[in-house]
């Protein structure tokens, strides 16, 4: 896991060294969670590291990807999933430092779970908002998901959700921080 994280950081730095000012952005997702199910008492721990790199094609369109790893342990079961999440972003509203956008993308995760290969797949849209602190830094939030998320039997047996539709609740908010270069 350390090697994958190191390679992702080095790739972002190498691309950043040759980028024109303001066209590229880098950020990502780092999560840690521990949950105890009230009915069964099973404790689960999840850690996710997803560095993100994107490129602004125009003032309204951008493309990017997240590449990283997610680890989950629930009871005696462990699952490590390597993820690739490419997306296209459309910014539909701008007012001074605030931008409203929607990301359309694919989430693909492959790993081992219970001795089998687990494959997770998602396709859909994530609305979001960003606040430009200054020319270099932005705070970003994604709120909700519209689309499909699922996986094969090994992924579902180890906690991967399968759903289709709109999930727009306060439990589905992701916060981030971008560096624009």
């Amino acid at each position: 896991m350390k090697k994958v994280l190191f390679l992702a950081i080095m790739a972002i730095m190498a691309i950043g060294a040759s980028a024109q000012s303001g066209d590229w952005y880098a950020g990502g997702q780092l999560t840690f969670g521990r949950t105890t199910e009230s009915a069964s008492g099973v404790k689960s721990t999840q850690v996710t590291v997803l560095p993100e790199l994107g490129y602004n094609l125009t003032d309204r369109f951008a493309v990017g990807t997240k590449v990283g790893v997610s680890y989950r342990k629930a009871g005696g079961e462990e699952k490590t999933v390597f993820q690739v999440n490419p997306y296209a972003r459309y910014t539909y509203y701008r007012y001074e430092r605030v931008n409203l956008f929607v990301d359309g993308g694919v989430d693909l995760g492959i790993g081992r779970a219970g001795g089998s290969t687990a494959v997770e797949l998602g396709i859909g849209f994530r609305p979001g908002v960003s606040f430009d602190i200054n020319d270099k830094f932005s705070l970003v939030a994604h709120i909700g998901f519209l689309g499909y998320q699922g996986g094969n039997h090994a992924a579902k047996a180890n906690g991967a959700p399968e759903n289709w539709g709109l999930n727009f609740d306060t439990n589905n908010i992701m916060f981030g921080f971008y560096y624009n270069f």
Side-chain angles (χ1 to χ4, degrees):
M1 185 166 121
K2 290 179 186 177
K3 290 179 184 178
V4 171
L5 180 59
F6 178 74
L7 288 173
I9 291 170
M10 292 304 292
I12 290 171
M13 289 174 58
I15 291 172
S18 66
Q20 294 179 354
S21 178
D23 291 337
W24 291 88
Y25 58 91
Q29 178 181 349
L30 176 65
T31 60
F32 174 80
R34 182 145 174 97
T35 307
T36 302
E37 292 182 26
S38 59
S40 64
V42 173
K43 295 180 180 182
S44 65
T45 302
Q46 181 161 346
V47 178
T48 304
V49 178
L50 280 172
E52 179 178 350
L53 182 66
Y55 182 76
N56 293 308
L57 300 170
T58 68
D59 287 346
R60 299 271 182 197
F61 290 99
V63 293
T65 190
K66 297 176 189 174
V67 178
V69 64
S70 178
Y71 169 80
R72 181 173 187 237
K73 181 177 181 181
E77 299 288 324
E78 292 185 50
K79 176 175 74 169
T80 301
V81 177
F82 296 95
Q83 296 177 301
V84 178
N85 305 351
Y87 63 86
R89 174 171 295 165
Y90 175 67
T91 302
Y92 58 89
Y93 179 77
R94 291 182 182 275
Y95 180 73
E96 295 180 7
R97 296 176 176 256
V98 177
N99 303 299
L100 300 178
F101 62 87
V102 64
D103 289 349
V106 176
D107 300 338
L108 177 64
I110 299 174
R112 299 289 292 170
S116 300
T117 300
V119 178
E120 299 176 4
L121 176 67
I123 186 167
F125 300 97
R126 293 185 192 280
V129 60
S130 71
F131 176 76
D132 299 333
I133 297 171
N134 57 35
D135 289 341
K136 294 290 182 188
F137 297 100
S138 302
L139 296 174
V140 180
H142 289 86
I143 305 139
F145 179 77
L146 172 63
Y148 171 78
Q149 294 173 318
N152 66 358
H153 293 295
K156 290 178 198 171
N158 254 319
E162 180 164 28
N163 56 49
W164 171 257
L166 176 64
N167 183 353
F168 198 69
D169 63 15
T170 57
N171 292 325
N172 199 7
I173 297 175
M174 296 180 289
F175 293 100
F177 187 74
Y178 284 169
Y179 173 71
N180 303 298
F181 53 98

